[in-house]
Amino acid sequence: MRLLCVLFALALASSAQTSSLPPTNLMPVPVSLQFGTGQLLIHESFSAALTGPHDEQLQHAAQNFFAVLSRKTGILLDNKFSDPAKASLVIHTEQPAKQVQELGEDESYSLEVKTSGAQLSAPTGLGAMRGLQTFLQLVRPTADGFAAPVVTIHDKPRFPWRGLMIDVSRHFIPLDVLKRNLDGMAAVKMNVFHWHLSDNQGFRIESKRFPKLYEMGSDGHYYSQDEVRSLIAYARDRGIRVVPEFDMPGHSTAWFAGYPELASAPGPYQIERKWGVFDPAMDPTQERSYKFLDEFIGEMAKLFPDRFFHIGGDEVNGKQWDANPKIQEFKRTHGLKSNQDLQAYFNKRVQQIVTKHKKIMIGWDEILDPDLPKDIVIQSWRGQQSLAVAARQGYRGLLSYGYYIDLMWPAWRHYAVDPMADAAAALSPEESQRILGGEACMWSEYVSPENIDSRIWPRTAAIAERLWSPQEVQDINSMYQRLATMSGELDWLGLTHNSNYEPMLRRIAGTTDIAPVRTLADVVEPVKDYTREETAPAVPTSATPLNRLVDAARPESDTARNFTNLVNSFVSGQSTTPETKSQIRSALIRWRDSQTHLQTMLDRSFLLKEVAPVSQDLAAISAVALTAMDYMESGQRPPDAWTTQQRALLEQAAKQKAQLLLMVVSPLQKLIEASAVPHPPPVSN
Amino acid sequence: MRLLCVLFALALASSAQTSSLPPTNLMPVPVSLQFGTGQLLIHESFSAALTGPHDEQLQHAAQNFFAVLSRKTGILLDNKFSDPAKASLVIHTEQPAKQVQELGEDESYSLEVKTSGAQLSAPTGLGAMRGLQTFLQLVRPTADGFAAPVVTIHDKPRFPWRGLMIDVSRHFIPLDVLKRNLDGMAAVKMNVFHWHLSDNQGFRIESKRFPKLYEMGSDGHYYSQDEVRSLIAYARDRGIRVVPEFDMPGHSTAWFAGYPELASAPGPYQIERKWGVFDPAMDPTQERSYKFLDEFIGEMAKLFPDRFFHIGGDEVNGKQWDANPKIQEFKRTHGLKSNQDLQAYFNKRVQQIVTKHKKIMIGWDEILDPDLPKDIVIQSWRGQQSLAVAARQGYRGLLSYGYYIDLMWPAWRHYAVDPMADAAAALSPEESQRILGGEACMWSEYVSPENIDSRIWPRTAAIAERLWSPQEVQDINSMYQRLATMSGELDWLGLTHNSNYEPMLRRIAGTTDIAPVRTLADVVEPVKDYTREETAPAVPTSATPLNRLVDAARPESDTARNFTNLVNSFVSGQSTTPETKSQIRSALIRWRDSQTHLQTMLDRSFLLKEVAPVSQDLAAISAVALTAMDYMESGQRPPDAWTTQQRALLEQAAKQKAQLLLMVVSPLQKLIEASAVPHPPPVSN
């Protein structure tokens, strides 16, 4: 029996139609797709052929494609290349991708799947790589075997720069962890890995010219130049550019551990262990700083083939500059009125060095200055307004505001951020072209190699879709459905966002009996935005273990979101079937009773003990919500005093404890408020 | 608050006392342990010192110790070595382990943990490695933080050879998968990795002298000599010897793909794709066979530093020999009466070659022949009887009978097999010394890199305990408790026996909603012993995908075992509390209702469709068992006709379907039979 596939043409002209997305798992959603009837079965005999000019990277990408298809299906398919006449999948390109991948290279592709075979066509090898990822996502088990549905897809990215930044300074992230994250990026068609290689807390790359940078600035946790080359090659095989960032003149304490003479105040310096904005900054007034940077940037420019070079440039507090008479004197003699002017002078000097080494400079918002040439790129953590201002002045820009994945926002909130929205919406077509795209940013104060994947994935896939898919693709329910599927797909790449959850919970529980801690963990989220430090039991440092429930809990609770949707449809009267009520009740009973179980385990583990109050809150408000359900079902109103009392309880439960937020407070509040209205909502029996 | 630890001296003299094992998670159980009061807390400041002679392997082992301790606790502890006066853990050795690890090297150690610090002492670096593993297992979360209890341990292995064999021929197992399994071996103190490198289905190692062996015998799936060296070094750092096996004169089709002139019948030959015993065998009558083997063994003897060299020697069916007149003539002229005699002649020639290259020969049972010198070692797949016979003749032996982990036996069954039991129990002390230990054997017809860990772990830990711990350690409940903990410990090493379960089930379900397939998967086991081929839907080959529920299901269902224990204590009247009954009922209800959910998903996936009959059986017999519970609780007996009918249903449900066994048939049968007895068991209310 063949699955009946629906015929569907995605109408992009009208955003009103996007809620009727086709039944596809594809993420990001392609520009156009049209399903036909039937499917292409994937057997042991599946093979592929590459036609068109030789393209080594595409060849590697096709090998990776076979490896992932094998893992996904469990069918042994090792590099089964055959001649085009016999191949199940023919991949045709017109020209190879550039040896060194460039910004704006054509990434478009067309994919036609028929029952007899599939054809992937792309102007460049880069487009073919994107199409291979689409094909992988199309393959699913069916009643007849693994298969891709008959479909015609035409696709290309909305923005040419779709990046992920990983900060490897605050916590070192080993090469293999980065590599699996590059696989995740490729799966969702991201194309820039922005490698934040230095900061106050660590200098993470070997410099042969200035070895003390990593010898004294990394605690031994750095990447050798061979490792860097291997990562760049790995990224290139996945159609991903690698842009290094060396933050300067601030965020640079780790440089000074080895080279205090670069700083604006005398040393000695040690690697910073805490989080925040710190005083040390390079001395922009001395020529030896520029000589050093010229040699250092020259060395790095040779190592990193990409055209772009990120110099950071953010958050200089100016204290060292203010305290240094020589620097004050320099400002006076050079007519520099403010520290901002002084930094602009520094940026201009650095920009000249970067240009000398044939690179284009990128920096954060603060580097924007009309004196700098128009080819530089501004990466904005401040918002679309900054980008619009820059674009009007002729500068290109990238949005990262709204894409800070360390802030523990839910996926829908990142998904709602559009580089072309707000101030950027008013740009002229020419100015709009200067908005290159955006980057998700993984700042690493609170991530370790163990939990970083769970902070990046699956939420980053929503950002990747925002940057690839047409602007009209906005349906949040569809996004969440596809995100759940995508999360499972990412498992096949070795990402650990799912697999590390239970081991971390087992560590917390101190036993293999993790049921009650899992029940709790499933409905909490870490505190949001920048509140993690202020709510911490002790001042956090880079040595603070990241082994608590706040480190294991997912940034977004699927359980809580689904329960909230259930309650919303119940209290709105949309769904009041016995099944809905039974689902709500059984969740409430589980939460209420789990506490009893957890309570018996508390003495086993200090990591469990700290979350006991959260578990108590969950049990208490679940019990109250059950009573509210009873009131509603009996058609009676609770006494006002009861409702008032429960509101106070909810208010307490909504407060962070152990740096965790109980994400079901809001739906439980809705149940309690619904029970208190004069006329209870319609209740069917 | 400090945890109160019990004082306990493990009395080993009497096996009757072993059921009162101390509350320890240690696996294998040490020879003696005595708990004190209090504990040693493990903080960020934890450090270690090595005293004694320089021992590079021990240094590496200590680095690995820090890495695993870090992962287990989530505390950053990178190689924090300090001077002995300040160290939290002082590791003292009297002499370094041998550069090339030897059979019978001293592996004993003493570990003393006090509240102020710990001391690990061992005559050799090898013993220190074993003690480090014990220390790792002692560390657990407590109410005050991570800690090891105050304890004094003296420990040494019962047998000097505690191995794991992995067959990499039938399915190729990549190097990284082998390495993580070496980590698992080290964790349970195993010390020999037996690498089954060639068989009919693949020749898996680079030979520079005879490149066609791997070029034509491996489909490109082989280990380079550099990779082999890296694996040997990796093993050495974990106190594990590496013994290569090249199976001959049978099990050798893959050799003949490149070198048909070695065979006893004319070629050409192709790599074998099916499973079983095949005809091709080396020609033992031609000198060029021995010339080839001399050069080949010479090359391999240099690559593998271990003293022992395995030549297989099993399962020659003799058909090629019988059909070759030249070979028949040779037998006559040399007075060789049988093919067994001919193989003995071959073995003797090969033994001389092995000896020439300074190695000691090992082979399977079939090689035993009084003409061979007494230094060879017999590995028995036939049983203790074979070993006893060999030992009486002066040969050393290893037991693998009873340790074939591909047969899908439960852990207790392997655990019950003792190398010194049965015929071996009657050996004299001197003869007993010749029983060196044993090896778990992972034959790979039905394992892939994806599921091999779940076939090896955690059950192999039970075999490791049998080979390390005193013979009197026999308590099965204790073993299962510790095995569950050990299974979680092994996760920290990167083993995937737990983490790959859900992804495999998701693949089968074709959706992220795996609840019903998981409910089913949790109570089934793959068919046992050698029935996998005969029950297969089609003749299995090396290309058959291993992606079905039979490949994902665990060899031993914990859920079924725990439920069986629960039912046993209920029907025996040992526990008839309402809680017991409610636990039984809720499991039955879950199994009954899960089928409804599964049924709605069947069209999604062919992999799910095939298991629908098993799910139907589970639902049907669970419903019947619920009725049986009703009868028992009401004090009524069911009509005899009803019971008869249910027996037939159970009989059907007990039969394999989709190569799966429903492991709760037996306890459900007990419930139904209990309801049918004239006087129902006491039922409390």
Side-chain angles (χ1 to χ4, degrees), chain A residues 25 105 192 226 287 374 413 429 451 530 582 621 677:
Chain A
N25 285 330
E105 259 189 276
V192 181
D226 277 346
E287 280 309 304
K374 299 301 179 207
R413 205 170 151 191
N451 76 349
Y530 291 106
S582 146
I621 62 175
V677 296

Coordinates of all heavy atoms in Angstrom, one line a residue, chain A residues 25 105 192 226 287 374 413 429 451 530 582 621 677:
Chain A
N25 N 7.9 17.5 7.3 CA 8.8 17.7 8.4 C 9.9 18.7 8.1 O 10.7 18.9 9.0 CB 9.4 16.4 8.8 CG 8.3 15.5 9.5 OD1 7.4 16.0 10.2 ND2 8.5 14.2 9.3
E105 N 27.5 33.1 -2.2 CA 27.5 32.1 -3.2 C 26.1 31.5 -3.4 O 25.4 31.4 -2.4 CB 28.5 31.0 -2.8 CG 29.8 31.0 -3.4 CD 30.6 29.8 -3.1 OE1 31.3 29.8 -2.1 OE2 30.6 28.9 -4.0
V192 N 27.5 29.8 8.5 CA 28.6 30.4 9.1 C 28.8 30.0 10.6 O 27.9 30.1 11.4 CB 28.5 32.0 9.2 CG1 29.7 32.6 9.8 CG2 28.2 32.5 7.7
D226 N 46.7 22.8 13.9 CA 46.3 21.6 13.1 C 44.8 21.3 13.4 O 44.1 21.0 12.5 CB 47.1 20.4 13.5 CG 48.4 20.3 12.7 OD1 48.6 21.1 11.7 OD2 49.3 19.5 13.1
E287 N 52.3 52.3 20.0 CA 52.5 51.6 18.7 C 52.8 50.1 18.9 O 52.4 49.4 18.0 CB 53.7 52.3 18.0 CG 53.3 53.6 17.3 CD 52.0 53.5 16.4 OE1 52.0 52.6 15.5 OE2 51.0 54.2 16.7
K374 N 33.2 51.4 4.1 CA 31.9 50.9 4.0 C 31.9 49.3 3.9 O 30.8 48.7 3.9 CB 31.1 51.5 2.8 CG 30.9 53.0 2.9 CD 30.2 53.4 4.1 CE 30.0 54.9 4.2 NZ 29.9 55.4 5.6
R413 N 10.0 32.6 20.7 CA 10.4 34.0 20.9 C 11.5 34.4 20.0 O 11.6 35.5 19.4 CB 10.8 34.2 22.4 CG 10.6 35.6 22.8 CD 10.8 35.7 24.3 NE 11.3 37.1 24.6 CZ 11.8 37.5 25.8 NH1 11.8 36.6 26.8 NH2 12.2 38.7 25.9
P429 N 14.9 49.1 -0.8 CA 15.4 47.8 -1.3 C 16.9 47.7 -1.3 O 17.5 46.7 -0.9 CB 14.8 47.7 -2.7 CG 13.6 48.6 -2.6 CD 13.9 49.7 -1.7
N451 N 26.4 19.9 28.5 CA 25.1 20.4 28.3 C 24.9 21.4 27.2 O 23.8 21.9 26.9 CB 24.4 20.9 29.6 CG 25.0 22.3 30.0 OD1 25.9 22.8 29.4 ND2 24.3 22.9 31.0
Y530 N 19.3 37.6 32.1 CA 20.6 37.7 32.8 C 20.5 37.5 34.3 O 21.2 38.1 35.1 CB 21.3 39.1 32.5 CG 21.8 39.1 31.1 CD1 21.1 39.9 30.1 CD2 22.9 38.3 30.7 CE1 21.5 39.9 28.8 CE2 23.3 38.3 29.3 CZ 22.6 39.1 28.4 OH 23.0 39.1 27.1
S582 N -9.6 14.3 31.6 CA -8.9 13.2 32.1 C -7.4 13.4 31.9 O -6.5 13.1 32.8 CB -9.4 11.8 31.5 OG -8.3 10.9 31.4
I621 N 0.4 23.2 44.2 CA -0.5 23.8 43.3 C -1.2 22.8 42.4 O -2.3 23.1 42.0 CB 0.2 24.9 42.4 CG1 1.3 24.3 41.5 CG2 0.8 26.0 43.3 CD1 2.0 25.3 40.6
V677 N -14.9 31.8 38.4 CA -15.8 32.7 37.7 C -17.3 32.4 38.1 O -17.6 31.2 38.3 CB -15.6 32.7 36.2 CG1 -14.2 33.2 35.8 CG2 -15.9 31.3 35.6

